Amino acid sequence: MSILFKDGSEESLIRLIRLAELELKIFVYPIPDGIRRCNKPFKGGLRDMFDMELRLPKYYKTSVVATQDPEMADLYLVDHEWICLRVGSEPSRRAPDRFKFTGHAIGRDHVLPIWRNVLRNYPYFNRSHGHDHITSFVYDNGPFCSAGHIQPTSSPAVAEVMGYLTNVSILGNNGYSGRSVWEKHCEKPCEGRQSYLFCHREGRDIVLPQPHPFPPLSSSITYNPSSRPAVTLYRGQIRQGTDCSPLIRPLLQHMHSPAGVRSNSSLSSSHHWWQTGRMNETVFALCPAGAACWSMRLYHALFSDTVPVILADRIIVPFERFLDWKQFSMKLMTGEGSESDVGDMLRVLHNMAEESKKSSNLQNTVVGQKVLAMREVSPW
């Protein structure tokens, strides 16, 4: 029995998989002709991070659960190419035609025609009011709800699509236990309020792991914390996060500033790296929320034998119904976070790292146990 699974959840998951293989059937709606399509390849790393929207429909079409007969289906997947249009084809930020790649434009010219085709040419959505339909949006919190990536949700095209999504289950990267965009829908342009919009709805939507462009370390490599000069590492933008952790990034920045280091004697730039270094050079990776409740940094850490420290509140992690994330990650609530709280956290992490470096039996240390569990959960 794997320690990664919560009590009884491993057998439950195996039963569900076997039952799905025997009984579940999924029909994938074809994308209709004559609408705007993605005509350019993804850009480098963006392809690896965000093309799950394109891969999932292809997988379902050829998997054991696929059916070509919609009358035989239990679930209906609405296929689309939103992410490819958004990050694969978009011009530079100063290009004159950038307006074509806003949430409104892609909604109007691509996503909305797809949903209208589903409603007008098939009877299945209307039969269930969408309760047996699924779709995927894996770019942060989705195309219409994620902070910084959308135009106002008051766009008529976006509003119409969101109306269709009311009962549809969304497969996405980020889960958040809080008020959804449907409960806070803007009647006026949401300028200045975008950071408070979320797509995930507990009990309906499904959180997926986020792919990333970094190759995993070989499982044959012996983990040696003494070869990792940093205790913690953070590289990324500095801005106020979403509701998941609204102040943690600026607070971390202050802690690593000369003033922050002076007021926290345990901090040292030689141990706590800020905006420098590589993931496999540190024992812990700081994973704060940003535009969404977390980013690919979390998965990059898991692939690098680096223990992720999740700095976000009320998040829902992938497969948490089955997996015990405490076995291979750490978590700090940040809503009431202060400089002293972050200082205490960094001191605790420093002590854990030192313990792992001095121990003759790594498996008896917190870091060693989490790395062993991490290697079991990472898709080697």
Side-chain angles (χ1 to χ4, degrees), residues 336-357:
E336 302 298 328
S338 64
E339 183 174 338
S340 61
D341 293 331
V342 175
D344 290 343
M345 174 195 71
L346 295 176
R347 280 186 284 274
V348 169
L349 297 179
H350 183 90
N351 292 338
M352 287 182 177
E354 288 301 304
E355 176 197 32
S356 67
K357 293 177 181 181

Side-chain angles (χ1 to χ4, degrees), residues 255-313:
M255 293 293 291
H256 288 81
S257 69
V261 171
R262 283 196 300 271
S263 62
N264 293 272
S265 58
S266 63
L267 282 178
S268 168
S269 59
S270 62
H271 295 136
H272 299 281
W273 290 5
W274 185 251
Q275 305 295 3
T276 187
R278 293 178 296 183
M279 189 67 77
N280 62 1
E281 296 177 319
T282 183
V283 178
F284 297 97
L286 303 180
C287 301
C293 290
W294 67 80
S295 69
M296 67 175 181
R297 187 177 292 103
L298 172 64
Y299 304 103
H300 186 189
L302 291 174
F303 271 54
S304 304
D305 281 354
T306 300
V307 180
V309 181
I310 302 172
L311 304 171
D313 302 340

Side-chain angles (χ1 to χ4, degrees), residues 247-262:
L247 300 174
I248 191 63
R249 289 194 189 203
L251 183 57
L252 288 172
Q253 182 186 34
H254 169 70
M255 293 293 291
H256 288 81
S257 69
V261 171
R262 283 196 300 271

Side-chain angles (χ1 to χ4, degrees), residues 93-107:
R93 294 186 180 275
R94 289 185 171 84
D97 61 342
R98 181 169 169 75
F99 69 92
K100 295 179 181 178
F101 298 86
T102 64
H104 168 71
I106 297 176

Side-chain angles (χ1 to χ4, degrees), residues 183-243:
E183 297 167 355
K184 304 170 73 173
H185 186 64
C186 301
E187 296 178 358
K188 297 179 180 179
C190 301
E191 206 171 315
R193 296 180 55 195
Q194 292 182 2
S195 62
Y196 298 95
L197 302 179
F198 295 89
C199 265
H200 187 85
R201 297 157 296 173
E202 290 182 89
R204 181 177 303 280
D205 298 334
I206 300 171
V207 184
L208 296 177
Q210 183 171 349
H212 61 78
F214 309 103
L217 294 178
S218 171
S219 57
S220 63
I221 296 177
T222 301
Y223 177 77
N224 180 12
S226 296
S227 67
R228 298 185 172 222
V231 173
T232 65
L233 176 147
Y234 176 75
R235 294 182 66 179
Q237 295 182 356
I238 304 301
R239 60 186 173 200
Q240 301 239 356
T242 57
D243 281 356

Side-chain angles (χ1 to χ4, degrees), residues 106-127:
I106 297 176
R108 179 194 62 207
D109 300 334
H110 178 77
V111 182
L112 183 54
I114 288 175
W115 279 96
R116 286 177 173 174
N117 172 67
V118 167
L119 270 71
R120 294 173 181 176
N121 297 322
Y122 298 88
Y124 312 107
F125 185 93
N126 291 324
R127 287 180 186 176

